[in-house]
Amino acid sequence: MQYHYLATRPADANVAGPYSYANAGDGSDYSAYHETYHAGLREFMQRFGYYDVFLIDFDSGDIVYSVAKEVDFGTNLLTGPYRSTGLAEVVWKVQREPIRGRATIVDFSPYLPSYNAPASFIAAPIYNGPHVIGIIALQVPVDRIQDIMTGERNWSNEGMGETGETYIIGQDMLMRSDSRFLIENKSDYFDMVRKTGLSEDIMSLIDKMETSILLQPVQTEGAMRALKGDTGYLVSNDYRDVTVLSTYSKLDIDGLDWGIVSEIDESEAFEPIGKLLQRIMISTAIFIPIVAYLSFWLSQSFLRPVRHLTETAREMKRKYEDGDIEAADAMSFKSDNASEYQDLSHALNHILEKTRDDMKDTRQRQLEYTNLVTSALPLAVAERFRSGDKHIFDESKMATALFVQISNFQSLMRDKDFATMKAYQFELDSAATKLGHKYGLDVFHQIGMEFIAVSGLTTQYMNHSERVFRFLKEIFAAIEKFNAANDCHLELDIGLDVGPMVGSLETDGVLDYDILGEVIYTCREVGYLGESEGICVTERAIKYLKDKSITGNFKKAKETIVLDDKPTPVWWISGDDVMKMKVE
């Protein structure tokens, strides 16, 4: 393959664009398939910013396809020259645990076929039905992380000032993203790190490769705390031996043992505080005389009416004491200021009391409205509705739907009063809703003791069927516990189907989230077929569950249903067998 696609590739092979060479012209089946799929894989790589996309044979470890086609193309990752690289490591990990739908990632390391540039790899198994046939691997360049960590080199616009930077470190205490100071001023950067004792060989490599990734050591207090899993901040010296304000934390990424550190020079970090103190001192010197004068003037304004009332009262008292009764009786208060202040106080108290009552009423209405929205809509839809989205549409190409009917509930009415029956119903409804929230299922309560539960519609899950069976195991356990506590014998008749469905909410005065799809009707139809307590499952659902490695003691039921105008078998499993199932 290297001969046809590397050694003898024409000089103008990529004239239509980078990596556009699609057919070696050797007439082989490989070249025909290559021409069919190459353009799509190249577009995927370029759109999402990956350096390369590989397809690898699962058993042999051969690289059977590569978009970039460097010297690793066509080699074997188990025995070939690149068996010690990050790509070989991630392939070995997937071979060891080929879990469907799970991606595996490995840390950055120099990758020789890409001129020893630092590269990380992500890989996942490729399945054909229940069989794993290959591995897809993506080469992640440092550029993607660089753009995130540097804000596309716009540190100031990102609020990092003149000296702030954020970088990633690995367990080897080496950088996984570039130093800001290397990018902005290489000579100043080398002058500073040289003083810390960094060897000339390391600095030569940094200069030659124009990166500090996997080369610049960061043996600082913040970096060590981050890698231990701590989160916090402190003032300490950074890798340049400059005093900085440093914040640090552990990065929670499966497969990577990284820490993240964000730092800014102490002098710049605390500069605004010094300026603020200076401004406060100047403002205080200016405003204290002004505030003192205003305080005196306002106090005199408020005291003047009181003084007037006091002087009037004293004058009246003096006239009474002097015996000038007529003159004293003729006197009156020109303005009933005390009464005015009292009236003002009463008015303000009245306004305050009414305001408190209005606020209490508003909070109560908001609480009632929130409870209404939460009870009427699925949890994910309710959150979007409260955020302002009044026209909601969800669509899923593959989701799991359950119809659940609690049998024998009406038989309890013979010897239970109405209040007890309502309490039982509320307990069972609450249990179903709570378990639905726990496993991400949307529960739609129907008339009586029936409800529909859906997984994978309002929130898309790769493991929607697994979530449904974990929900079923607990709902059977809850019914068993309820029966034991209340000396009764309730049973669950359940129907299950998988397929596409849609949901929508159009707020025209009614909070009603509609779910549509054939699976909603078929799960109800097979649910009513229950021969005894357990789950009836459609034929297509059985096939889907087998593809997802969800197996159990399913037996073919006596009844059938009509799908696509022809009778279709229905499968059944008891509640006891559901409880015994092992679901990942």
Side-chain angles (χ1 to χ4, degrees), residues 319-545:
K319 289 186 180 294
Y320 278 118
E321 289 176 347
D322 291 345
D324 195 353
I325 304 301
E326 290 185 6
D329 287 341
M331 293 183 67
S332 62
F333 295 108
K334 301 299 182 182
S335 175
D336 191 6
N337 289 295
S339 177
E340 289 172 3
Y341 284 133
Q342 191 175 33
D343 290 343
L344 178 60
S345 177
H346 288 326
L348 290 174
N349 285 331
H350 176 72
I351 293 171
L352 181 60
E353 185 176 349
K354 187 175 185 306
T355 302
R356 285 173 175 166
D357 290 339
D358 290 343
M359 291 177 64
K360 183 177 180 181
D361 184 57
T362 300
R363 287 194 297 268
Q364 181 62 30
R365 291 180 182 178
Q366 288 176 340
L367 179 61
E368 292 173 357
Y369 182 69
T370 299
N371 291 337
L372 174 63
V373 170
T374 304
S375 61
L377 301 175
L379 194 60
V381 176
E383 290 294 332
R384 288 152 62 189
F385 180 83
R386 286 198 295 268
S387 298
D389 193 355
K390 301 300 187 268
H391 302 282
I392 298 172
F393 179 80
D394 297 308
E395 181 178 10
S396 176
K397 294 182 179 179
M398 183 60 68
T400 304
L402 287 176
F403 168 75
V404 181
Q405 177 183 221
I406 301 177
S407 302
N408 299 334
F409 186 80
Q410 297 301 325
S411 64
L412 296 178
M413 297 181 66
R414 301 189 188 98
D415 53 353
K416 304 292 182 184
D417 58 30
F418 178 80
T420 302
M421 292 298 294
K422 290 300 291 182
Y424 284 175
Q425 185 175 12
F426 177 80
E427 180 181 350
L428 294 170
D429 286 350
S430 298
T433 302
K434 183 177 180 181
L435 289 174
H437 290 171
K438 179 178 180 180
Y439 293 109
L441 275 68
D442 300 318
V443 178
F444 302 87
H445 293 283
Q446 310 290 303
I447 297 174
M449 300 306 295
E450 298 177 354
F451 62 87
I452 296 286
V454 174
S455 177
L457 176 58
T458 61
T459 303
Q460 303 286 317
Y461 296 116
M462 293 290 292
N463 63 340
H464 52 87
S465 292
E466 290 89 337
R467 288 172 175 269
V468 163
F469 274 89
R470 289 199 291 269
F471 167 85
L472 286 171
K473 288 168 73 72
E474 288 212 26
I475 203 72
F476 274 110
I479 289 295
E480 201 170 288
K481 182 178 179 181
F482 180 90
N483 286 338
N486 298 287
D487 192 23
C488 58
H489 186 66
L490 302 183
E491 293 183 349
L492 293 176
D493 295 323
I494 301 173
L496 184 148
D497 198 7
V498 297
M501 64 180 73
V502 297
S504 65
L505 173 67
E506 294 292 336
T507 52
D508 53 356
V510 178
L511 286 176
D512 189 12
Y513 184 80
D514 293 319
I515 50 173
L516 300 173
E518 183 189 33
V519 293
I520 301 299
Y521 302 98
T522 52
C523 75
R524 180 184 283 110
E525 183 178 356
V526 297
Y528 283 126
L529 296 179
E531 301 173 341
S532 59
E533 184 182 35
I535 307 172
C536 286
V537 185
T538 63
E539 179 81 355
R540 63 186 170 202
I542 282 289
K543 294 178 180 178
Y544 182 82
L545 296 175

Side-chain angles (χ1 to χ4, degrees), residues 202-275:
I202 295 297
M203 287 192 288
S204 176
L205 283 173
I206 293 174
D207 188 25
K208 179 180 179 181
M209 303 194 69
E210 297 186 341
T211 181
S212 60
I213 298 175
L214 299 177
L215 294 171
Q216 173 66 59
V218 186
Q219 296 177 339
T220 64
E221 183 69 21
M224 288 187 285
R225 291 186 184 185
L227 293 172
K228 287 180 181 177
D230 296 337
T231 297
Y233 64 90
L234 77 163
V235 175
S236 65
N237 286 4
D238 69 355
Y239 60 91
R240 301 169 298 146
D241 201 25
V242 174
T243 304
V244 295
L245 176 61
S246 175
T247 62
Y248 52 87
S249 185
K250 183 83 169 179
L251 278 178
D252 189 14
I253 303 175
D254 189 21
L256 297 178
D257 203 1
W258 287 353
I260 186 169
V261 179
S262 185
E263 296 174 334
I264 188 170
D265 286 7
E266 182 186 30
S267 57
E268 182 180 5
F270 295 111
E271 182 183 5
I273 298 176
K275 289 183 177 179

Side-chain angles (χ1 to χ4, degrees), residues 155 160 163-167 178-181 239 261-263:
W155 289 276
M160 300 301 289
T163 62
E165 65 171 336
T166 301
Y167 54 85
D178 271 329
S179 164
R180 171 182 183 171
F181 306 100
Y239 60 91
V261 179
S262 185
E263 296 174 334

